[in-house]
Amino acid sequence: ASDELKADKEVVMAAVQENGGALESASDELKADKEVVMVAVKNDGDALQYAYHKLRTDPEILALIDD
């Protein structure tokens, strides 16, 4: 995807709702967007590895990951 699409929150939100791993391709800004990361992680807990490092320990986000 183009850099423009990778930075478009609407496009990225739609992508991570279908496939949390799509977070890997998102812009750095959106990897740091808590709303985007929460949707991605809710879809696929493994998506957490692509999130901005400070969000990787966020209790709200971690609570979305199935044990």
Side-chain angles (χ1 to χ4, degrees):
S2 71
D3 288 343
E4 191 176 311
L5 289 177
K6 292 176 185 179
D8 184 316
K9 185 172 180 175
E10 210 171 287
V11 171
V12 171
M13 284 289 275
V16 298
Q17 281 176 335
E18 294 297 316
N19 173 11
L23 185 62
E24 181 179 14
S25 299
S27 68
D28 288 344
E29 184 179 325
L30 291 179
K31 288 178 183 175
D33 184 303
K34 186 171 179 175
E35 184 183 8
V36 171
V37 171
M38 287 181 78
V39 170
V41 169
K42 192 171 185 178
N43 176 274
D44 179 359
D46 291 339
L48 187 64
Q49 65 185 314
Y50 307 121
Y52 180 61
H53 68 93
K54 289 187 178 173
L55 291 178
R56 291 182 201 155
T57 55
D58 185 291
E60 273 187 276
I61 293 172
L62 293 175
L64 297 172
I65 299 174
D66 295 326
D67 292 325

